[in-house]
Amino acid sequence: PIRSGFIAIMGRPNVGKSTFLNTVIGSKISITTSKPQTTRDRILGIFDTSDAQIIFLDTPGIHQAGKALNKYMVEKALSTLSDADIAMVMTAPDETVELLSEVTAYVRTSGKEAVLVLNKADLLSQEDREKRLGALAGAGDFRSRYAVSSLTGEGIGELMNGLKNLLPEGPRFFPEDMITDAPLRFLCQELIREKVFTLTQKEIPYAAAVEVEEFREGEPTYIRAAVHVERPSQKGIVIGAGGKMLKEIGKQARMDIQRLLGTRVFLELFVKVTKDWTRKPSRLKDLGYK
């Protein structure tokens, strides 16, 4: 028998949930940037050993939601929590008990068992880690607590053993050579959006969505994708003077996609204005946020 189950990675924006998932899985399946609210959907990552299969569910950060897009993101995180066996509540050294309580309130309502994980522990001394964990533990009822660094890998082995022991005996839900259930088309779409987040400033990352309109595998693989923005002025910024910005987005995205697919890639990008798409639920659905 093995231990297996689903663990929802819950937390506020920018605490390192996606970086943690990529580190554990050993492959980039969830995009990461220094900007908050990068993750918009549930991303599944599968960690396999001889005696366990731990299925992590990366979620959008819990935050105050105003626009339809932000409400979608929070609802996606909460629906993912309801499907999980355990909530892994992730926090960062600069987070307060009050802010963390916004997350743990949802976990408490769900009735799920929870563990507390202080990420970015490499920024703290050993003594300060214990102090922060002790203080933040007051935000909820946790079975255990850990300090880890997704950047260096410190503490992750101990955390994984602890999580495994909390899971019930069960089957392998996925084949052992599988690391995610996300289709290649979606992963490529996300890699393009990551470059939009990384290379543009101010409101542009939050007003942008990427839609892969054509995907033909081969040598090279052909991908045609649209970057949707809300206003004509944003379109001009994404394209840049002489098309310079869009070319750089395409160049960096193509390099990452080639590493992912293991083939040469011909990537064609263009920009569309889809007015107020972040505010209208019908527009969200059109762009794949369902």
Side-chain angles (χ1 to χ4, degrees):
I2 68 164
R3 293 185 178 274
S4 63
F6 294 78
I7 296 179
I9 310 172
M10 304 294 295
R12 287 179 52 78
N14 227 26
V15 296
K17 299 184 296 297
S18 297
T19 302
F20 169 84
L21 180 65
N22 292 338
T23 298
V24 167
I25 301 305
S27 184
K28 187 171 184 173
I29 59 173
S30 191
I31 66 173
T32 59
T33 75
S34 61
K35 295 181 176 71
Q37 299 173 29
T38 299
T39 301
R40 291 177 178 171
D41 263 300
R42 185 275 276 159
I43 308 293
L44 182 147
I46 306 159
F47 177 84
D48 262 305
T49 65
S50 60
D51 62 349
Q53 184 174 83
I54 305 175
I55 302 133
F56 288 101
L57 305 169
D58 186 17
T59 66
I62 300 293
H63 62 283
Q64 297 297 319
K67 296 181 181 179
L69 174 61
N70 299 89
K71 290 177 180 176
Y72 167 87
M73 290 161 64
V74 173
E75 288 168 1
K76 179 63 70 172
L78 298 182
S79 65
T80 300
L81 174 61
S82 68
D83 293 335
D85 297 297
I86 296 170
M88 193 182 90
V89 179
M90 184 165 281
T91 184
D94 59 350
E95 195 156 51
T96 65
V97 173
E98 290 73 24
L99 287 174
L100 185 59
S101 294
E102 295 178 15
V103 178
T104 56
Y106 290 114
V107 175
R108 189 178 301 110
T109 300
S110 74
K112 306 292 182 179
E113 288 193 323
V115 298
L116 177 65
V117 176
L118 174 64
N119 197 15
K120 307 182 184 182
D122 52 297
L123 302 177
L124 300 173
S125 67
Q126 189 64 45
E127 182 181 358
D128 287 341
R129 295 175 193 181
E130 295 302 323
K131 287 181 179 177
R132 289 305 298 149
L133 274 173
L136 292 169
D141 182 18
F142 300 105
R143 285 287 304 269
S144 51
R145 56 197 192 198
Y146 303 88
V148 306
S149 169
S150 298
L151 191 63
T152 67
E154 183 182 359
I156 288 182
E158 181 184 357
L159 168 62
M160 299 301 287
N161 284 331
L163 293 174
K164 179 181 71 174
N165 291 332
L166 288 177
L167 290 173
E169 290 187 357
R172 291 190 192 274
F173 294 95
F174 297 94
E176 291 185 58
D177 59 349
M178 189 172 175
I179 61 172
T180 183
D181 67 343
L184 287 176
R185 189 183 187 113
F186 173 80
L187 294 175
C188 294
Q189 184 171 285
E190 285 288 273
L191 287 172
I192 298 167
R193 188 169 67 84
E194 179 185 68
K195 304 314 172 190
V196 175
F197 255 73
T198 302
L199 294 170
T200 61
Q201 303 297 322
K202 298 182 180 178
E203 86 278 5
I204 300 298
Y206 304 101
V210 175
E211 179 184 24
V212 171
E213 297 188 341
E214 191 172 351
F215 184 94
R216 295 200 306 266
E217 291 188 63
E219 184 58 50
T221 293
Y222 173 77
I223 301 171
R224 183 172 185 268
V227 179
H228 292 261
V229 292
E230 295 188 292
R231 299 194 299 273
S233 60
Q234 295 169 343
K235 178 178 180 179
I237 293 171
V238 173
I239 293 174
K244 186 176 180 180
M245 176 61 77
L246 191 61
K247 288 177 183 176
E248 186 61 23
I249 291 169
K251 175 186 173 182
Q252 293 192 20
R254 181 174 55 81
M255 292 172 65
D256 275 3
I257 293 171
Q258 286 182 159
R259 281 191 286 269
L260 172 71
L261 301 182
T263 68
R264 290 182 300 119
V265 169
F266 182 84
L267 176 61
E268 183 180 3
L269 291 182
F270 60 100
V271 185
K272 284 184 176 181
V273 176
T274 304
K275 188 178 179 182
D276 294 332
W277 74 265
T278 65
R279 302 173 186 275
K280 297 179 179 179
S282 60
R283 294 289 193 188
L284 291 180
K285 290 179 181 179
D286 291 341
L287 294 177
Y289 297 105
K290 300 175 182 178

